[in-house]
Amino acid sequence: NYLKEIAVPLSVITHISENWLHNFHPVTLSFGRTTEFGNKIAFMPKIRMMPLWRSHPVVDEIKRMVERATLAGEA
């Protein structure tokens, strides 16, 4: 909400999606439990000049972080 910031463990992220139909590729993170902001959030990643059909690099970065947290058994 731009006024409040919360921390959510990476292990709570259950799904990461990106809307390729918009120029700015908004990203949605879905959570396995309800947080103060609900069970999902959407954000606009930093603008990058790239083809529309290419995924924004932040999507892969978040996926790698979630995978490492899951393998490490983050709570």
Side-chain angles (χ1 to χ4, degrees):
N1 68 7
Y2 303 106
L3 300 175
K4 186 174 184 177
E5 183 177 310
I6 64 170
V8 178
L10 292 168
S11 60
V12 173
I13 299 173
T14 58
H15 186 71
I16 304 161
S17 62
E18 176 180 17
N19 188 338
W20 292 28
L21 298 176
H22 295 298
N23 289 343
F24 301 115
H25 293 246
V27 176
T28 301
L29 304 178
S30 298
F31 306 125
R33 63 175 166 85
T34 302
T35 70
E36 290 181 61
F37 293 141
N39 54 3
K40 66 180 165 180
I41 61 164
F43 68 94
M44 301 297 284
K46 189 176 193 176
I47 297 172
R48 302 232 178 177
M49 299 307 283
M50 60 188 177
L52 287 176
W53 62 88
R54 245 183 115 207
S55 184
H56 193 285
V58 76
V59 173
D60 288 330
E61 182 179 347
I62 295 170
K63 286 180 180 179
R64 283 193 304 274
M65 290 169 46
V66 169
E67 185 176 313
R68 280 195 301 263
T70 301
L71 291 174
E74 178 190 286

